[in-house]
Amino acid sequence: EDRDDWRELPVITIDPHDAKDFDDAISVQKTKDGWQLAVHIADVSHYVKPGTALDKEARERGNSTYMADRVLPMIPRELSNHLCSLMPKVDRLTQCCLMKVSNDGKIRSARFTRAIIHSARRFTYEEAQDILMAPVEAASNRFPDEDPAIVDMLHESWNLASLLRKKRF
């Protein structure tokens, strides 16, 4: 309750092929004035309440630590790799930043909200790159198993990211 419902909207994750947890997701839609960008972050706060033993342990650890042969998670694996992981095809709770970005790359508005998503697809970096390297017109032929709306969104995401990168530099 009291969450924006994104379950019918296109949301994806893009992570390394060996990732175990998916803690962020995006949705990008082209508008006449620019783009609507939604950045979803797994809502760990729904499960880890302030002052609990779990909260104290997470604060003590500060962050997950990644080593060559293992990961020491900030929160238990049952949370980080399951309930708080934005896995595809399951409902998950998020904190969302919804931004309107103009055609010249300026953030015109931003609002934060609690949301529920149903990620349409989990991409590896390599899968996303393969789609991005194909021209938009050829992508649906080259990737017939992919949802054309998601392929288009990937390309729009790249367009927006390219503009923001150019503006930053």
Side-chain angles (χ1 to χ4, degrees):
E1 65 185 55
D2 297 330
R3 289 185 182 266
D4 289 349
D5 192 340
W6 281 75
R7 289 177 288 185
E8 299 298 322
L9 298 167
V11 176
I12 60 168
T13 61
I14 306 174
D15 289 285
H17 71 90
D18 59 350
K20 301 276 190 287
D21 64 335
F22 315 119
D23 54 7
D24 51 60
I26 61 165
S27 179
V28 175
Q29 301 300 314
K30 183 70 176 133
T31 66
K32 65 180 174 71
D33 300 329
W35 294 267
Q36 176 179 275
L37 167 63
V39 178
H40 293 272
I41 305 296
D43 189 358
V44 176
S45 68
H46 181 79
Y47 300 96
V48 180
K49 300 300 181 196
T52 62
L54 192 55
D55 177 50
K56 289 175 184 165
E57 180 68 19
R59 285 176 186 269
E60 187 72 27
R61 292 181 183 203
N63 59 277
S64 295
T65 303
Y66 295 85
M67 293 179 266
D69 61 340
R70 67 187 176 276
V71 175
L72 300 175
M74 184 172 77
I75 58 177
R77 287 186 197 336
E78 293 76 19
L79 288 175
S80 64
N81 292 6
H82 299 288
L83 281 175
C84 296
S85 185
L86 307 180
M87 298 181 289
K89 311 293 186 203
V90 293
D91 292 353
R92 288 293 185 249
L93 305 178
T94 69
Q95 296 284 338
C96 175
C97 180
L98 186 60
M99 295 164 268
K100 292 193 186 312
V101 183
S102 67
N103 284 318
D104 61 356
K106 291 183 181 157
I107 297 176
R108 295 292 181 200
S109 68
R111 74 177 176 93
F112 296 89
T113 183
R114 295 170 356 125
I116 183 168
I117 67 169
H118 192 90
S119 176
R121 173 82 154 80
R122 183 255 174 168
F123 285 98
T124 65
Y125 291 143
E126 295 81 7
E127 290 169 331
Q129 187 69 31
D130 286 347
I131 290 172
L132 290 170
M133 293 299 98
V136 177
E137 316 77 51
S140 58
N141 290 336
R142 198 155 158 233
F143 303 97
D145 294 336
E146 296 293 347
D147 178 343
I150 297 295
V151 170
D152 289 346
M153 187 178 74
L154 266 176
H155 281 275
E156 275 310 322
S157 299
W158 185 256
N159 292 340
L160 175 56
S162 298
L163 174 65
L164 294 175
R165 191 176 307 107
K166 179 180 175 185
K167 189 174 175 344
R168 185 174 68 231
F169 287 114

